[in-house]
């Protein structure tokens, strides 16, 4: 083993130990129970099926009552934990740029009528047009992306969306706070490339770019195929009578005759998609109207100019029909290097889907049947803290593969195999949690007695256009007589 490799392992071990110490300091109430629950999540072999099974892990020295007590009555200093997440080493692009991705992942609770703060979550089915709205807790998650084909991301923040929340406004505030924490932690310094934020088609990228004006960020988002953009405002003509035009000629995505000559064009040979052709048009802006999000905007509506990139690939890995992808970048005067960087960064955005799948299928993020939304938030932060420790321990992990699994390439282990060997690392880092104190369980409810305090039932959160909460009319409620109309 070379001296350089030994230094890498030493630094990785120090980062894991430092983060575990900081995590324990963030657990301000019932910290021992919460920390051991996180360790049990890390060291349990195989996927997490039920929450109570974690109490049987050797790392969890307390009973199942302490497990649920920590989630229901514990407290986490979320602000300090967020600062700890941005203080660890973060992945960067080839030019040293930090690339962030934001997306919403639901924790579906369709039958949990006693759970408060549920909202309708948009889910995708396996068939054509199988989009459904299912009650649950949607979480907006921001993660830093790596370069190349990988399943790793660095999760930096998570916010539960309340019923009727404006996703664009919540995402804007979330990205602003993440960038400010990155600057405060020294991850971004003046002179560094701007942070690139990659969004999918469900976000209003021009609006988010306008709201984040003044921050060192660039916004890259996908647009619908039926959008119409406006070109720059033409110069003022003195021989023309009437109000000066505000928008230039139309740029219709579905009409090639309106495109004209592009700003830059690139052709790249890829292994998965074959030949990828990207073409960019500079200084295009959406035509805003005073409705929806811009209804209460003071003053004239802004002109938000950017670059539209049209990406066409030769084939898809699944063998499906290829369709053009249209991206909007908040920068202007794009070069060929900017065009390549944008569409390749957008393809890396889908790495966050691998993180969601790991959270749900391996770490059991959505497995617990918790009643309180605050307990769901604590469990979410414990899952993020556990995943961060797995990511930091990646250089220290050995390839503990199953007999039927293929050997992994050096430094190419996936998150699940790294978690498989975390129990060996935990014995070296130690645990700051104190030993449990012996106690006797309470008597509980006497057998045969009825529950005299049933849980409150909550309707799924719905908000009217006026911003007021929806309430069912009295004549629609169960147990009331219908109103007579004559």
């Amino acid at each position: 083993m070379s001296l350089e490799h030994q230094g890498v392992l030493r630094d990785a071990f120090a980062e894991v130990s430092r983060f575990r110490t900081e995590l324990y300091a963030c657990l301000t109430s019932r910290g021992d129970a919460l920390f051991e629950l996180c360790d049990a999540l890390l060291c349990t072999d195989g996927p997490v099926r039920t929450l109570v099974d974690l109490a049987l892990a050797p790392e969890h020295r307390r009973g199942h009552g302490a497990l649920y007590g920590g989630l229901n009555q514990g407290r986490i200093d979320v602000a300090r934990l967020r600062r700890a997440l941005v203080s660890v080493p973060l992945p960067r692009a080839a030019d040293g740029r930090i690339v962030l991705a934001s997306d919403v992942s639901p924790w579906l609770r369709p039958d949990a009528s006693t759970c408060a703060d549920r909202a309708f979550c948009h889910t995708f089915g396996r068939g054509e047009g199988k989009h459904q709205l299912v009650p649950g807790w949607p979480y907006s998650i921001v993660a830093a992306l790596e370069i190349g084909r990988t399943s790793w991301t660095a999760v930096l923040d998570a916010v539960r969306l309340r019923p009727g929340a404006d996703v664009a406004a919540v995402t804007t505030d979330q990205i602003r706070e993440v960038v400010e924490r990155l600057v405060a932690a020294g991850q971004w310094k003046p002179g560094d490339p701007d942070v690139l934020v990659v969004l999918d088609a469900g976000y209003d990228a021009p609006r988010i770019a306008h709201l984040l004006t003044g921050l060192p960020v660039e916004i890259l988002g996908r647009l619908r195929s039926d959008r119409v953009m406006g070109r720059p405002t033409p110069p003022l003509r003195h021989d023309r009578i009437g109000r000066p035009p505000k928008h230039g000629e139309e740029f219709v995505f579905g009409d090639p005759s309106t495109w004209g000559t592009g700003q830059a064009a690139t052709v790249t040979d890829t292994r998965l998609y074959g030949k990828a052709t990207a073409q960019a048009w500079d200084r295009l802006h959406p035509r805003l109207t005073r409705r929806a999000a811009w209804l209460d905007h003071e003053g004239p509506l802004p002109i938000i100019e950017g670059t539209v990139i049209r990406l066409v690939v030769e084939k898809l890995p699944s063998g499906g029909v290829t369709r053009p992808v249209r991206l909007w970048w908040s920068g202007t005067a794009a070069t060929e290097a900017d065009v390549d960087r944008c569409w390749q960064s957008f393809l890396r955005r889908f790495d966050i889907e691998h993180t969601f799948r790991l959270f749900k299928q391996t770490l059991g993020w959505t497995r617990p049947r918790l009643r309180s939304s605050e307990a769901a938030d604590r469990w979410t932060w414990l899952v993020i803290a556990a995943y961060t420790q797995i990511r930091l321990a990646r250089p220290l992990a050995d390839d503990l593969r199953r007999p039927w699994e293929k050997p992994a390439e050096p430094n190419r282990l996936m998150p699940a195999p790294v978690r498989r060997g975390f129990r060996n690392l935990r014995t070296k880092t130690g645990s700051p949690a104190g030993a449990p104190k012996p106690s006797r369980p309470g008597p509980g409810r006497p057998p045969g007695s009825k529950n005299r305090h049933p849980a409150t039932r909550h309707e799924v959160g719905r908000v009217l256009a006026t911003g007021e909460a929806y309430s069912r009319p009295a004549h629609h409620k169960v147990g009331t007589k219908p109103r007579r109309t004559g």
Side-chain angles (χ1 to χ4, degrees):
M1 183 183 299
S2 62
L3 296 178
E4 182 180 0
H5 185 60
Q6 292 180 0
V8 172
L9 297 181
R10 192 182 306 109
D11 295 341
F13 184 82
E15 288 293 340
V16 174
S17 302
R18 188 181 304 110
F19 182 80
R20 288 173 60 84
T21 303
E22 185 66 17
L23 172 63
Y24 183 76
C26 296
L27 309 177
T28 57
S29 179
R30 301 194 180 228
D32 295 337
L34 291 175
F35 192 86
E36 290 192 355
L37 175 59
C38 186
D39 276 356
L41 177 62
L42 281 168
C43 301
T44 299
D45 190 15
V48 176
R49 302 299 183 186
T50 60
L51 187 61
V52 71
D53 286 343
L54 297 178
L56 303 179
E59 291 75 17
H60 193 275
R61 299 174 294 178
R62 291 162 171 81
H64 65 277
L67 184 149
Y68 285 101
L71 289 179
N72 293 326
Q73 282 85 33
R75 286 195 300 271
I76 300 178
D77 189 352
V78 177
R80 184 172 181 175
L81 182 55
R82 283 170 170 159
R83 292 192 298 268
L85 291 175
V86 300
S87 300
V88 299
L90 299 179
R92 297 175 182 267
D95 58 351
R97 185 189 308 268
I98 297 178
V99 182
L100 303 179
S102 178
D103 203 353
V104 176
S105 183
W107 182 342
L108 301 181
R109 300 302 307 276
D111 301 327
S113 57
T114 59
C115 294
D117 300 331
R118 289 186 304 161
F120 286 104
C121 305
H122 188 252
T123 59
F124 296 89
R126 291 185 176 271
E128 183 69 21
K130 293 294 184 179
H131 306 320
Q132 298 177 350
L133 293 176
V134 182
W137 293 316
Y139 280 85
S140 175
I141 296 179
V142 176
L145 304 179
E146 294 192 359
I147 59 175
R149 299 176 57 218
T150 179
S151 298
W152 292 94
T153 61
V155 180
L156 303 180
D157 193 26
V159 173
R160 176 170 49 85
L161 301 178
R162 299 186 178 276
D166 187 352
V167 179
V170 174
T171 304
T172 301
D173 296 339
Q174 191 178 14
I175 294 175
R176 179 184 293 108
E177 294 175 358
V178 169
V179 173
E180 291 175 351
R181 288 195 293 270
L182 290 173
V183 174
Q187 299 284 5
W188 185 92
K189 300 177 182 178
D192 294 345
D194 292 342
V195 178
L196 180 62
V197 181
V198 187
L199 307 172
D200 205 0
Y203 295 89
D204 189 355
R207 181 192 172 197
I208 295 178
H210 174 72
L211 296 177
L212 292 178
T213 302
L215 289 179
V217 297
E218 299 175 357
I219 306 298
L220 177 66
R222 184 168 65 171
L223 300 178
R224 292 166 53 99
S225 60
D226 57 352
R227 292 292 297 268
V228 177
M229 291 286 186
R231 295 186 182 275
T233 305
L236 182 62
R237 296 174 51 184
H238 299 283
D239 58 345
R240 185 173 180 177
I241 302 176
R243 185 175 61 180
K246 188 176 181 180
H247 307 282
E249 298 179 355
E250 290 185 345
F251 183 93
V252 184
F253 286 1
D255 187 2
S257 61
T258 62
W259 297 352
T261 305
Q263 175 76 15
T266 61
V267 179
T268 307
D269 292 329
T270 62
R271 187 176 65 89
L272 291 178
Y273 303 98
K275 184 178 296 184
T277 305
Q279 191 174 5
W281 290 268
D282 193 23
R283 297 187 62 189
L284 297 180
H285 63 271
R287 294 193 173 188
L288 306 180
T289 57
R290 289 196 176 276
R291 61 180 182 180
W294 301 98
L295 184 62
D296 299 330
H297 182 78
E298 298 180 359
L301 295 177
I303 300 294
I304 309 173
E305 292 186 341
T307 302
V308 172
I309 302 173
R310 184 176 184 269
L311 174 65
V312 181
V313 297
E314 186 178 3
K315 62 179 180 178
L316 294 178
S318 59
V321 180
T322 60
R323 298 178 181 178
V325 176
R326 297 165 179 87
L327 308 175
W328 186 89
W329 179 48
S330 60
T332 56
T335 62
E336 295 182 357
D338 294 332
V339 174
D340 283 340
R341 175 172 56 85
C342 286
W343 72 261
Q344 292 177 12
S345 299
F346 178 77
L347 294 183
R348 295 273 63 81
R349 190 210 71 83
F350 295 97
D351 293 341
I352 197 173
E353 303 295 340
H354 297 285
T355 302
F356 293 156
R357 183 174 60 181
L358 177 77
F359 279 12
K360 295 181 179 181
Q361 297 183 2
T362 303
L363 299 182
W365 173 37
T366 58
R367 288 289 182 175
R369 297 295 180 256
L370 301 174
R371 178 182 299 175
S372 171
S373 57
E374 289 78 11
D377 294 342
R378 298 186 191 100
W379 172 246
T380 300
W381 283 110
L382 289 182
V383 172
I384 294 176
Y387 175 72
T388 303
Q389 296 180 61
I390 295 175
R391 185 178 64 86
L392 295 177
R394 179 168 42 164
L396 305 171
D398 296 328
D399 188 10
L400 303 178
R401 63 182 184 274
R402 306 301 189 194
W404 56 85
E405 295 177 350
K406 297 181 179 180
E409 299 179 5
N411 299 325
R412 295 290 294 177
L413 287 178
M414 296 295 102
V418 175
R419 171 177 175 259
R420 192 178 300 164
F422 194 88
R423 175 171 290 172
N424 301 330
L425 177 63
R426 179 187 176 274
T427 58
K428 300 177 182 179
T429 59
S431 175
K437 299 179 181 179
S439 62
R440 294 181 179 180
R445 194 169 63 206
S449 61
K450 295 183 179 180
N451 183 14
R452 300 182 181 275
H453 303 282
T456 305
R457 305 282 173 166
H458 301 275
E459 293 286 344
V460 181
R462 287 181 286 180
V463 179
L464 302 176
T466 57
E468 301 176 356
Y470 170 83
S471 60
R472 181 179 296 182
H475 61 281
H476 288 176
K477 295 181 179 179
V478 180
T480 59
K481 296 181 179 180
R483 185 179 58 181
R484 301 185 62 179
T485 57

